[in-house]
Amino acid sequence: MQEVNTKAPKDKFFREIENVRHPNETLIKTHCAYCGMQCGMNLRVNTKTNQIIGVEPRYDWPVTVGKMCPKGVTAYQQTNHPDRILKPLIRDDASLKGTDKGFREASWEEAYDLIARKFKELQGKYGKDTLSVFSGVSMTNEKCYLTGKFARVALQTRYIDYNGRFCMSSAAGGFLRSFGVDRGSTLPWTDIHETDCLFIAGSNTAECHPTSMFRVWNVQERGGYLIVADPRETPIARRADVHLDLRPGTDLALANGIVNLLIQNGYVDEEFVNQHTNGFEETKELVNQFTPEYTSQITGVAVEKIIRAAEIYGKAPNAVVMFARGIEQQHKGVDNVSGYTNMALVTGKIGRPKSGVATFTGQGNGQGGREHGQKSDLLPGYRKITNPKHVEEVCQVWGITPEEMPQPGVSAYEMFELMDQKTIRGLYLLCSNPAVSAPNQNFVRKALKGLDFMVCVDFYLSESAEFADVILPTVTWSEDEGTVTNLEGRIIKINKAQEPLGESKPDWQIQVELSERLGRGKYFSHLKTARDVADEFRLASKGGYADYYGATWDKIDKQDGVFWPCRDEEDPGTPHMFLDKKFYHPDGKAKICALPYRPPAEEPDAEYPLRLTTGRVVFHYLSGNQTRRIQFLRDMCPEPYVEVHPETAAKYNIEHEEYVRLYTRRGEAEYKVKITEAIRKDTVFVPYHFGHEKSINLLTIAALDPISRMPEFKACAAQIEKLEMKKVQ
Amino acid sequence: MVKKRLYLELENCIGCRSCLAACTQCGGHEQRNRNYVYDVNPLKNRQTMPLMCLHCVNPACARSCPAQAIQIHETGAVLSALVEKCIGCQNCTIACPYGIPKFDTEQNLMYKCDLCIDRTKDGIPPMCASVCPSNTLQWLTDEEIEAKQKQFNLDNGKWVTSMPYLEGETNVRVNLPGILQGVTKLF
């Protein structure tokens, strides 16, 4: 029988290519372990040993057509890596916390017994909310969903939050305010190369989402324009038609300045603004003061560049505004997101193909993982825990009463504050490495060390695991199956290529078994496979904004992924958002936001005259717990460095490759100097993937956005000190 | 099977070294990468460029080899030294105008890019061009390459980006930085 081809039409980058198949090998179709691009890949599995032995491009994946960055190419090396934790580990001597010493191998029985006993003890003494769950979004929707249920139903604590607070929460907050819904991209990635202008702010795309680059360059090849706002001349900014080289932390002024010019120069789509938006008049009034001169004064960007950027964006028949952590990891990250989104709303360049707004999602499942109840105030399907109707809907799926649903908790960084205050005494940490990735590390590490009892679930002994009493070995992405939602909002399928190594188990299974030990088995014991979790999760999301009910695994396979919302079996999903110009606020209109400018929480002064900003390199992912162990990636970038402009270096009398002390009001570290003209003179940059004494987050500031609770990783005040006598060979 | 070639568009390179990582993944490559990516002027900017074997039609490496260890495949790919023939003299590493052949002192053996011959002999793109996220490395037909050349050549005689060859005739085609100078803006 001829099968109907329901897959999306392939774009011009697609080539019909057969994969190489070696004898005694099978190829498992899946996606990368790392960022939100979720590049398609085939894992090569030896059919005799049943082990993953390599990678083969997945040419037929429509988003990335076989392309992979160096992290993706080497991702498979995680699975059978010698550093894998193969058995549960217990540390009896708590005085060794904060080191990797003192762990002994134990059985799952012993580990579960200890955890159940300690958790019960703590909750008996200090109440249910003394336990906390700190999670992450580098895992499947099914796991993210179950982690939320595990915290609220098995542990019955209000304190659950996740590392998306260091990643995507500002984008989420901004989109919710502007559109009433938070889908990271309003259009599929296969539209990007067909637009006429890309306005990219705070995204080092070439290093952080490299497989977007063939589409980005193609815009310019076609005669379109590329505008990049970044304090550094990153590889994408190098080729931009206009590089807006702004001071870190001044994005909102730039956004307001450009919106002002769009309004002044007649680029407003009046019909769209009148019929489909609110807030235009207030915004017009507010941005009026952001003349090019005033904007230039705040941002440090030349007046002509601001005018030219606004002119190009205004004139472009189609344009996409894109941004990433550069604008989001600020204490006004949500305002920055809404501020740049205003550009699309006042000009009506949204709600149609080739035009829209998108954020480059950082973590693999940064989109899906934030929608289904790992956030302190959210429940599956993007439901609010403060909305009684939403609570009731989820309670029906979970089999608890609304009275049993815990209250909202606090954000990720605020959990460390509660640990420090002894409000929280126990921690179940999974899929995250906050001892590298959280800001103000001296405080965070002290909080972790002070815990009465901590469980860490990981497949490697991370810097955070060094604070644990018990480490439970989980699996890598390649040893389990489930769905992930990529940066487009496309739900895709991760497939299992190998059995779990050693005694490791998938997170969902660990949580089910632990729930049974905690006497909550009746809510979890029916979940025997990843697919069981998937079915319950789809049901729990049903009717929410982020409705996954119709996104069955079969449909995902047949359609090359399913864009949410996808409400039932017949619904093919929603690649383009707002085609009907209906937004998700109750009146169906989008909100143009009037946003007063605020400077970064800590501005340079005489004592700390430099602006410190942090970010990534192409060779590492997040805290580096995975990528620092892969030899190719480690060879390419073995240690962090501080980027300094040559004129600034001359002022401090420091040279290329010399080690210097970099310090802020919160901490200090020594870094090798990398001299480059590709950075502002008033700014220094350090990549954040490194731990212990090399972590730049010893220096960063925990100034939180009032809405998203995102810390300001991207701007604080710093000073450099020359180290005497210490010159590298 | 339509013949395809490796085509380099240097302007696109973002320095990610994915081509090098992927090179190690090709079946016959024993986990060693065989090409190079250079920072063009690291103290100044982030420009990078790959230096790949260009698979010369009349390759200096093979001509300089006293042991005939470097064979040329019927597809034009200049292969890595045959283990049983290579005498470890390193003539090839000196002869190559691009400095491509690498030398393994432990094995006393030269190794170089073979254009992933176990892929390209069947028309499957080499690993580097398969994964390259920026389309710096592409696997194209001669027609597609000709179209590129037309698209990027300026007819004012001031700037020619697409050169037929750099030294002698090569199977790989290179487009030097500057491609955007010939592009007409949409508006």
Side-chain angles (χ1 to χ4, degrees), chain A residues 44-302:
Chain A
R44 290 165 53 200
V45 179
N46 182 308
T47 48
K48 292 199 165 148
T49 61
N50 294 315
Q51 288 213 320
I52 296 167
I53 54 164
V55 69
E56 169 72 18
R58 189 170 163 189
Y59 299 107
D60 63 353
W61 179 246
V63 188
T64 50
V65 295
K67 296 175 178 304
M68 288 180 271
C69 81
K71 298 181 291 287
V73 171
T74 54
Y76 77 93
Q77 293 171 17
Q78 294 175 81
T79 308
N80 296 304
H81 194 284
D83 289 357
R84 281 290 297 272
I85 305 170
L86 301 175
K87 285 181 168 207
L89 301 174
I90 292 177
R91 176 158 56 192
D92 304 302
D93 181 355
S95 72
L96 292 170
K97 279 193 180 197
T99 73
D100 60 357
K101 308 277 185 308
F103 289 105
R104 63 175 169 85
E105 289 189 345
S107 67
W108 279 97
E109 292 298 300
E110 189 189 358
Y112 281 152
D113 284 346
L114 177 63
I115 295 168
R117 182 164 60 79
K118 286 285 188 181
F119 277 5
K120 282 180 185 165
E121 241 174 58
L122 284 173
Q123 287 189 316
K125 264 198 218 167
Y126 304 106
K128 298 283 188 203
D129 292 336
T130 197
L131 295 184
S132 61
V133 175
F134 191 109
S135 186
V137 285
S138 296
M139 58 183 185
T140 60
N141 285 312
E142 288 74 14
K143 288 171 183 166
C144 293
Y145 157 75
L146 197 68
T147 300
K149 181 180 173 187
F150 173 73
R152 284 156 182 144
V153 179
L155 302 182
Q156 303 166 72
T157 180
R158 67 193 296 181
Y159 292 121
I160 170 168
D161 209 62
Y162 77 123
N163 64 8
R165 297 280 189 182
F166 305 154
C167 184
M168 298 310 301
S169 61
S170 291
F175 287 148
L176 281 171
R177 186 169 58 185
S178 296
F179 303 139
V181 64
D182 160 34
R183 205 186 81 179
S185 178
T186 67
L187 72 177
W189 236 238
T190 43
D191 269 25
I192 285 175
H193 60 277
E194 295 189 337
T195 193
D196 306 313
C197 168
L198 287 173
F199 184 102
I200 301 183
S203 162
N204 178 5
T205 318
E207 294 201 75
C208 304
H209 299 86
T211 50
S212 293
M213 289 308 295
F214 65 101
R215 298 186 192 279
V216 172
W217 287 162
N218 193 241
V219 171
Q220 286 184 309
E221 252 179 65
R222 284 178 34 251
Y225 289 86
L226 172 64
I227 302 167
V228 175
D230 199 305
R232 302 161 64 217
E233 196 193 87
T234 58
I236 184 176
R238 188 179 75 81
R239 229 179 93 167
D241 293 275
V242 183
H243 174 204
L244 303 163
D245 49 347
L246 79 177
R247 293 190 180 104
T250 62
D251 286 276
L252 186 55
L254 182 62
N256 282 348
I258 289 178
V259 170
N260 182 42
L261 285 170
L262 292 172
I263 295 172
Q264 300 298 328
N265 296 334
Y267 294 116
V268 175
D269 181 338
E270 283 179 20
E271 194 190 325
F272 176 85
V273 166
N274 290 338
Q275 289 184 16
H276 305 295
T277 70
N278 291 311
F280 178 76
E281 287 304 325
E282 301 96 277
T283 305
K284 182 180 172 185
E285 197 176 322
L286 183 127
V287 298
N288 192 36
Q289 63 169 303
F290 287 85
T291 60
E293 292 71 25
Y294 181 58
T295 306
S296 170
Q297 203 182 313
I298 298 174
T299 59
V301 179

Side-chain angles (χ1 to χ4, degrees), chain A residues 20 56 59 67-70 76 206-207 210 214 217 222-225 233 239 241 619 632 675-677, chain B residues 9 11-12 14 16-18 21 25 43-44 46 119 124 130-135 180 183-187:
Chain A
V20 172
E56 169 72 18
Y59 299 107
K67 296 175 178 304
M68 288 180 271
C69 81
Y76 77 93
E207 294 201 75
F214 65 101
W217 287 162
R222 284 178 34 251
Y225 289 86
E233 196 193 87
R239 229 179 93 167
D241 293 275
F619 304 109
F632 179 85
I675 295 207
T676 176
E677 287 177 30
Chain B
E9 208 154 274
E11 182 76 54
N12 291 349
I14 55 173
C16 72
R17 273 82 176 170
S18 205
Q25 292 304 305
L43 300 184
K44 204 167 164 57
R46 297 293 302 274
R119 304 176 73 86
I124 303 170
S130 296
V131 302
C132 177
S134 62
N135 268 352
L180 295 176
V183 172
T184 312
K185 285 291 186 187
L186 291 171
F187 56 91

